[in-house]
Amino acid sequence: MPPHKPTSFDIAQLAGVSQPTVSRALRGSPSVSEQTRKRIEAIAQQLNYKVDKNASSLRTQRSNTLALLFFEDPTPDETGINPFFLSMLASITRTAARRNHDLLISFQQLSANWHVDYEDSRKADGIILLGYGDYELYQPKLEQLIQQGTHFVRWGLVGGQDEMGTTIGCDNMDGGRSAAEHLIALGRKDIAFLGDASDHYPEFRDRYLGARNAIFAAGLNISGDLQVDAFNTEQSGFDAAQQLINSGVRFDAIFAASDLIGIGAIRAIEAAGLTIPGDIAVIGFDDIPAASLAHPPLTTVQQDYRAAGEVLVDTLLKLIEGKSAESYTLPAKLVVRKSCGAH
């Protein structure tokens, strides 16, 4: 124990690293290896060393705060926040805390001027964006963030002309493919898709394209009558499935673009006196907590919200530190439950 008040230089000497490495490790920088960071933290604890956040902020001109902006989905029933993003919140919060950053959480409407606030006003060093509703309304604001040089990372579709800024997302096309292949393997031949498959909702669109590719590869046909637009709400799923049933078109399975849509479809199928999965098999997408509680429990394509939160935070911290950070795609995983008839 040094005779004076311990400093980061004392820690550096004991750890056998440079003082800047100690500073980066204690503020949770992903540029420091996990092994080195743990060694430095253990020495800091042994010396009873406390980081002076105010002094650190003055030196670095940083607030050591990240902003997390949730966007309300523009749905008719104003249900607001996608529950999948609420599942991701715990992972983002824990990762930010482990990286010694505070988290400022805000719920936003897409029409608000969120794109000119936060980092410019020094409320936060960077922004994590979750949700966007209609992508064609969202894209111009992303362009402005890029022009301003704002540090931000978003959850969305990775790759292609739809990508703006550093993006973390799920492999939507592969997830759609695995859902359709599973239904086909169970003998389903007429698979309907519920969800807006246009450029306004590129993640839904890629889930649809993945399913369509699998259907074509199996030598089956897909009719335009088997695709019905739906918002990401349970009521919209109910209405879309009801419309499909009332149309008289033949179908024996539904692939819903989200779990909320799928749960609504289950309600509509049962209200029509049909059975699940006997008459119609149903698969959703996301694996929100309500999916396993549905009746019957909903087979779904799982997005890894735990890994997503960690990657979002670590990617944003790299951008804040001036390092290169690539967009990243997380794998999708099929979770089989009773709604599709398999075990």
Side-chain angles (χ1 to χ4, degrees), residues 173-221:
M173 193 169 292
D174 187 65
R177 176 198 57 76
S178 65
E181 286 181 347
H182 184 69
L183 291 169
I184 293 167
L186 294 173
R188 309 291 170 156
K189 299 184 181 300
D190 299 294
I191 302 171
F193 180 83
L194 304 186
D196 191 324
S198 72
D199 290 345
H200 292 276
Y201 297 88
E203 290 171 284
F204 281 11
R205 181 200 62 207
D206 270 23
R207 293 168 194 177
Y208 170 74
L209 292 176
R212 189 184 67 173
N213 291 344
I215 292 169
F216 284 153
L220 302 174
N221 293 321

Side-chain angles (χ1 to χ4, degrees), residues 10-338:
D10 296 320
I11 299 172
Q13 183 177 6
L14 292 171
V17 299
S18 67
Q19 188 274 338
T21 299
V22 171
S23 296
R24 288 194 295 270
L26 293 180
R27 68 171 183 261
S29 170
S31 64
V32 179
S33 71
E34 187 78 3
Q35 183 179 4
T36 301
R37 182 180 62 79
K38 286 183 177 179
R39 186 169 77 253
I40 290 171
E41 288 177 346
I43 295 171
Q45 186 175 14
Q46 181 184 355
L47 298 180
N48 198 27
Y49 175 82
K50 303 293 183 185
V51 177
D52 186 339
K53 285 193 174 184
N54 291 330
S56 176
S57 296
L58 286 172
R59 287 195 303 270
T60 63
Q61 295 297 302
R62 285 171 52 180
S63 65
N64 292 324
T65 299
L66 307 178
L68 172 61
L69 273 58
F70 286 98
F71 293 97
E72 296 180 353
D73 286 339
T75 54
D77 58 1
E78 297 183 350
T79 49
I81 306 301
N82 184 340
F84 169 70
F85 295 137
L86 296 178
S87 298
M88 199 188 292
L89 175 59
S91 177
I92 292 173
T93 303
R94 282 195 298 269
T95 305
R98 286 198 298 267
R99 306 296 185 258
N100 293 313
H101 277 70
D102 295 324
L103 191 67
L104 178 64
I105 300 173
S106 178
F107 293 90
Q108 298 282 335
Q109 292 184 335
L110 193 60
S111 59
N113 291 325
W114 51 270
H115 57 300
V116 295
D117 203 353
Y118 290 98
E119 188 175 349
D120 286 348
S121 61
R122 298 195 182 279
K123 290 180 183 177
D125 301 319
I127 306 172
I128 297 172
L129 305 175
L130 297 182
Y132 52 83
D134 188 329
Y135 185 79
E136 294 197 346
L137 299 177
Y138 176 67
Q139 189 171 5
K141 297 194 175 185
L142 294 180
E143 292 172 349
Q144 187 166 345
L145 286 180
I146 294 171
Q147 292 171 3
Q148 293 170 189
T150 300
H151 300 117
F152 77 94
V153 63
R154 69 183 188 90
W155 178 264
L157 185 70
V158 179
Q161 62 183 10
D162 301 306
E163 184 177 351
M164 294 289 296
T166 305
T167 308
I168 310 301
C170 172
D171 194 335
N172 294 283
M173 193 169 292
D174 187 65
R177 176 198 57 76
S178 65
E181 286 181 347
H182 184 69
L183 291 169
I184 293 167
L186 294 173
R188 309 291 170 156
K189 299 184 181 300
D190 299 294
I191 302 171
F193 180 83
L194 304 186
D196 191 324
S198 72
D199 290 345
H200 292 276
Y201 297 88
E203 290 171 284
F204 281 11
R205 181 200 62 207
D206 270 23
R207 293 168 194 177
Y208 170 74
L209 292 176
R212 189 184 67 173
N213 291 344
I215 292 169
F216 284 153
L220 302 174
N221 293 321
I222 184 166
S223 166
D225 295 334
L226 290 177
Q227 188 273 315
V228 182
D229 288 346
F231 292 109
N232 186 32
T233 70
E234 187 175 331
Q235 183 60 48
S236 187
F238 179 93
D239 294 340
Q242 190 174 62
Q243 176 183 333
L244 194 63
I245 294 167
N246 292 339
S247 71
V249 64
R250 172 185 168 81
F251 68 101
D252 56 10
I254 286 176
F255 172 37
S258 74
D259 287 343
L260 287 178
I261 295 173
I263 292 169
I266 287 174
R267 286 178 42 224
I269 293 166
E270 291 180 337
L274 301 170
T275 62
I276 303 167
D279 295 314
I280 302 169
V282 182
I283 293 183
F285 205 108
D286 285 335
D287 197 23
I288 62 174
S292 64
L293 302 175
H295 182 72
L298 180 63
T299 294
T300 186
V301 178
Q302 181 186 77
Q303 302 193 82
D304 190 344
Y305 58 84
R306 292 184 181 87
E310 293 177 0
V311 176
L312 282 165
V313 172
D314 286 344
T315 300
L316 180 58
L317 290 176
K318 286 180 182 178
L319 293 172
I320 291 169
E321 293 177 359
K323 296 180 172 62
S324 62
E326 302 296 326
S327 296
Y328 187 79
T329 302
L330 292 165
K333 176 185 176 183
L334 185 70
V335 177
V336 178
R337 300 191 180 104
K338 293 182 180 179

